[in-house]
Amino acid sequence: LRLLPQQRYLRAERAEVSALERKRNVLCCLITRILKVEKQLHIDNLVFRVIDACQKGELGPGLQFPSFCCHSVDVLSCVLRLLNQGYLRRQEERPHVLQY
């Protein structure tokens, strides 16, 4: 019987999963922070504001994080997640407008 060393790709995969979770958490935080201030916002404007904040690395006044690249798909998947969790809701008469 011979013991094999732990495979490197497993460690790399865990690191990638952890990085994706951190990115998702930052995006969800940005979405809720923006909507808390604005109260309601068109989904397109929300996506642009979140992407802009990611590029600048700003959560808000005095709160910074390392900037990273995110795409509209990333933001929209986080919006859907927050909608499913009940943190956000859509207006019935205007479903493209989100509320916190």
Side-chain angles (χ1 to χ4, degrees):
L1 181 65
R2 191 175 75 147
L3 296 175
L4 296 174
Q6 185 176 11
Q7 296 165 349
R8 291 184 184 163
Y9 70 87
L10 291 176
R11 283 183 283 196
E13 188 176 286
R14 286 186 204 124
E16 288 175 18
V17 168
S18 178
L20 286 173
E21 285 177 6
R22 283 193 306 272
K23 182 178 178 179
R24 184 186 68 203
N25 290 340
V26 169
L27 289 174
C28 288
C29 183
L30 281 169
I31 291 166
T32 55
R33 204 175 243 294
I34 290 169
L35 282 175
K36 275 184 179 179
V37 173
E38 297 294 328
K39 305 297 183 219
Q40 65 181 17
L41 201 58
H42 191 282
I43 195 164
D44 292 341
N45 291 335
L46 177 63
V47 169
F48 291 128
R49 290 187 60 182
V50 170
I51 290 172
D52 186 52
C54 287
Q55 291 172 348
K56 292 178 180 175
E58 297 176 351
L59 271 174
L63 299 172
Q64 304 247 331
F65 62 91
S67 63
F68 61 90
C69 179
C70 74
H71 302 282
S72 59
V73 175
D74 301 326
V75 178
L76 290 172
S77 70
C78 288
V79 165
L80 287 175
R81 179 187 171 125
L82 292 170
L83 281 167
N84 288 333
Q85 291 176 338
Y87 290 108
L88 304 180
R89 60 189 166 136
R90 296 176 187 245
Q91 289 184 351
E92 286 186 30
E93 62 280 357
R94 298 185 309 167
H96 50 277
V97 176
L98 298 173
Q99 296 175 314
Y100 178 74

